[in-house]
Amino acid sequence: MYIGIDCGTQGTKVIVLDSQQKKVIGVGYASHQIIENSDGRREQQPQWWTAALVEAFQQAIKLAQIEPHLIKGIGVSGQQHGLVMLDNNDLPLYNAKLWCDTETAPENAEFIQLLGGQEKAFSQLGIMPQTGYTASKILWFRKHYPEQYRRIAKIMLPHDYLNYWLTGHFCMEYGDASGTGYFDVVQRQWHLEAFKLLAPELDPHQVLPPLRSAQQKIGQVRAEIAALLGLSENVIVSTGGGDNMMGAIGTGNIQQGIVTMSLGTSGTLYAYTDKPLLDLPIEIANFCSSTDGWLPLVCVMNMTSANKNLMDLLQIDVAKFNELIQQSPIGAEGITILPFFNGERVPPLPQAKAGILGLDAANFTQPNLCRAMMEAASFTLRYGLDLFRQAGLSTSQIRLIGGGAKSAVWRQMIADIMNTEVVCLKEDEAAALGGAIQAMWSNGEGELADLCHAFVHLDATSRVQPNPKSAVEYEKVYARYVEKLKQYY
């Protein structure tokens, strides 16, 4: 038995994977709170994650009807870019600022200037630092909390914090490190000069974790945690990785030619390459993968969260939302929504606000608003897919994951807007599954490609082909969206 953990923005999921039956036999979930304000602050307390992990683990074990001592390994997936800072007593010095935090937009702009501007920043790091990456958060903390800043002993990301809690080992793998903003994604090493621009008073050799290859184990579960969870003391923990990197493993996206699209709180689009791509558009983050390759990725910040804002306003559930969408034609009778409730990363509009355009007395209906919102969220990913196609990345099939993938209406919309075949996975929790598979890989249970072939299964019943007529109509509606985007931002 292997455990996969996915610590996301909304909550923590835990799955139990049976390596003999080759399927998930138990799932648990516990939610997180979030600290937020209208200035873009998005924070959580790290202890919320560990409490959620314990609760979700106990649920999963109970559902699986197994004894915890049968567990052989654990792999952790975590929301990327979050900043966790510990003092010498391993206590958090501040809340964890999250990937979706845009309060540090001024610091990100300052950091890019310190690097010499966008072109020099991109050439040094192989990636363009974005608001939401870890780097600007450090600069922000240095400015606003100088006393606590001087007490920093360890800097890590959310999944590393859980690994540290589990094992006591302070380290990080290349994939998640790619999203810090002070990591060279081509050479796979910390960019010490960039880090010194952010934190000249800190010793990077002390506060930054040693880097590990994705296939390595980082250690065994601490005796204290083993006793808490009922595990044996020889349970191994793999390096884990960011949620997108683990999602790539959990969708079998470990070879060139496959594209994964996630319809979660945020939206992501990524594909595997065995070499770092050169001359990419700067909006594409050329991350390392958690399989010792690379994972070019586009992330947008308003996906199911945008839909949820409207559902909350209208006081309707997901089923009603999907029903209303089907009562509205493609293009929502002229309504265009720019869904930037949390700012946006691609296109780079961290301080943008949302807008609803084209309203009149005839089209101002609930069905049109619902369709326009789902179309808008989809168009932000279409914008990213166009960047992929410009870079020469293949999109013959999109593997769709995340909560939004459960909607048949949305699956067809994605296929039509992207004009590409769409298929989902039988296992909903791709990131947690990726964590469990990586743990098996690091524990010598087989080659990664063989493990993905055995445990990652496409759901043939979900396969959707684009409707040619709808695809043509969406091209016109998407062009209208892009025109409004350029006009208002």
Side-chain angles (χ1 to χ4, degrees):
M1 306 292 174
Y2 284 83
I3 295 292
I5 298 168
D6 179 29
C7 176
T9 315
Q10 304 298 326
T12 292
K13 306 177 189 75
V14 173
I15 66 167
V16 181
L17 186 66
D18 188 320
S19 62
Q20 294 183 339
Q21 297 185 58
K22 294 183 170 54
K23 66 178 185 178
V24 174
I25 61 171
V27 179
Y29 176 80
S31 63
H32 306 149
Q33 301 177 56
I34 189 166
I35 301 163
E36 56 187 334
N37 66 21
S38 59
D39 293 329
R41 180 170 298 184
R42 303 289 186 275
E43 299 172 353
Q44 288 173 336
Q45 294 181 16
Q47 58 267 34
W48 295 348
W49 305 334
T50 53
L53 188 159
V54 173
E55 182 180 345
F57 176 86
Q58 291 171 343
Q59 290 177 19
I61 292 295
K62 183 177 181 179
L63 186 62
Q65 296 183 324
I66 65 165
E67 295 298 326
H69 65 78
L70 295 174
I71 302 298
K72 293 178 65 178
I74 298 173
V76 179
S77 162
Q79 49 182 310
Q80 289 187 251
H81 314 312
L83 173 63
V84 180
M85 298 166 290
L86 304 183
D87 64 15
N88 282 320
N89 296 314
D90 288 338
L91 297 175
L93 288 162
Y94 186 74
N95 297 329
K97 291 189 84 65
L98 306 182
W99 65 272
C100 49
D101 184 290
T102 58
E103 186 176 25
T104 68
E107 284 75 23
N108 190 65
E110 181 180 343
F111 179 47
I112 290 172
Q113 290 306 307
L114 289 171
L115 289 167
Q118 288 195 351
E119 288 187 11
K120 288 186 178 180
F122 192 68
S123 65
Q124 290 177 69
L125 300 170
I127 195 169
M128 177 57 62
Q130 302 284 351
T131 298
Y133 284 14
T134 317
S136 59
K137 298 176 173 67
I138 295 173
L139 193 56
W140 178 91
F141 190 67
R142 180 175 178 249
K143 284 183 178 180
H144 294 277
Y145 295 90
E147 182 180 348
Q148 292 93 323
Y149 162 83
R150 288 191 290 271
R151 293 164 49 205
I152 292 175
K154 294 181 179 71
I155 292 174
M156 59 183 76
L157 302 181
H159 107 266
D160 304 310
Y161 179 79
L162 292 179
N163 279 346
Y164 188 57
W165 179 79
L166 286 166
T167 68
H169 292 288
F170 178 49
C171 59
M172 189 184 297
E173 57 81 45
Y174 303 132
D176 221 2
S178 303
T180 59
Y182 43 86
F183 178 83
D184 184 330
V185 299
V186 176
Q187 300 299 324
R188 296 181 185 272
Q189 62 188 20
W190 294 124
H191 198 294
L192 299 181
E193 290 76 15
F195 184 80
K196 288 176 182 176
L197 292 173
L198 296 167
E201 300 85 358
L202 302 180
D203 181 356
H205 300 288
Q206 295 295 322
V207 301
L208 296 182
L211 294 164
R212 296 284 183 265
S213 170
Q215 192 177 359
Q216 290 180 278
K217 306 170 194 175
I218 62 170
Q220 295 181 336
V221 172
R222 292 188 293 129
E224 177 185 354
I225 303 303
L228 175 66
L229 300 178
L231 302 169
S232 66
E233 292 188 14
N234 60 354
V235 175
I236 67 96
V237 178
S238 64
T239 58
D243 49 6
N244 294 304
M245 291 77 191
M246 293 295 102
I249 297 174
T251 58
N253 192 348
I254 62 169
Q255 297 173 333
Q256 293 181 189
I258 298 171
V259 173
T260 299
M261 180 180 289
S262 174
L263 306 180
T265 304
S266 63
T268 52
L269 186 74
Y270 46 88
Y272 175 86
T273 62
D274 55 12
K275 296 179 181 178
L277 297 179
L278 303 177
D279 301 320
L280 284 175
I282 62 173
E283 296 95 336
I284 295 180
N286 197 23
F287 293 145
C288 297
S289 72
S290 292
T291 58
D292 293 333
W294 279 263
L295 198 73
L297 179 146
V298 166
C299 176
V300 300
M301 300 182 76
N302 302 273
M303 194 53 49
T304 60
S305 58
N307 292 340
K308 186 177 184 300
N309 286 335
L310 183 58
M311 286 187 279
D312 289 347
L313 178 67
L314 299 179
Q315 296 183 327
I316 59 175
D317 60 15
V318 173
K320 184 64 175 179
F321 182 71
N322 282 299
E323 178 187 328
L324 289 169
I325 287 167
Q326 295 176 79
Q327 298 172 19
S328 171
I330 290 174
E333 297 188 295
I335 297 176
T336 299
I337 294 180
L338 302 174
F340 308 134
F341 295 94
N342 297 315
E344 192 47 89
R345 184 176 294 174
V346 177
L349 301 166
Q351 296 178 307
K353 302 294 184 181
I356 304 178
L357 311 173
L359 293 175
D360 59 38
N363 68 14
F364 187 40
T365 67
Q366 287 192 7
N368 284 338
L369 286 174
C370 291
R371 174 171 280 276
M373 187 66 78
M374 184 178 279
E375 287 181 348
S378 305
F379 288 154
T380 59
L381 282 176
R382 167 61 191 271
Y383 186 97
L385 186 65
D386 286 350
L387 293 173
F388 267 43
R389 289 169 172 166
Q390 291 170 26
L393 292 168
S394 170
T395 56
S396 58
Q397 183 189 78
I398 293 173
R399 295 189 177 181
L400 204 61
I401 62 173
K406 297 176 183 178
S407 166
V409 174
W410 208 351
R411 291 198 299 269
Q412 185 64 60
M413 185 182 289
I414 291 292
D416 294 341
I417 289 174
M418 311 301 168
N419 199 17
T420 304
E421 178 186 270
V422 166
V423 66
C424 298
L425 286 298
K426 287 186 176 180
E427 173 51 55
D428 291 335
E429 307 302 343
L433 177 62
I437 292 173
Q438 190 205 53
M440 295 175 66
W441 181 39
S442 71
N443 207 30
E445 297 279 2
E447 294 298 324
L448 183 61
D450 295 333
L451 291 169
C452 285
H453 180 74
F455 290 94
V456 177
H457 306 290
L458 300 181
D459 180 2
T461 65
S462 71
R463 196 182 302 271
V464 178
Q465 300 294 337
N467 180 305
K469 182 180 177 181
S470 297
V472 171
E473 289 186 63
Y474 270 122
E475 282 298 322
K476 298 174 184 177
V477 180
Y478 176 64
R480 184 181 77 198
Y481 169 85
V482 172
E483 179 184 352
K484 298 297 184 184
L485 185 66
K486 292 178 180 178
Q487 180 180 351
Y488 282 85
Y489 302 106

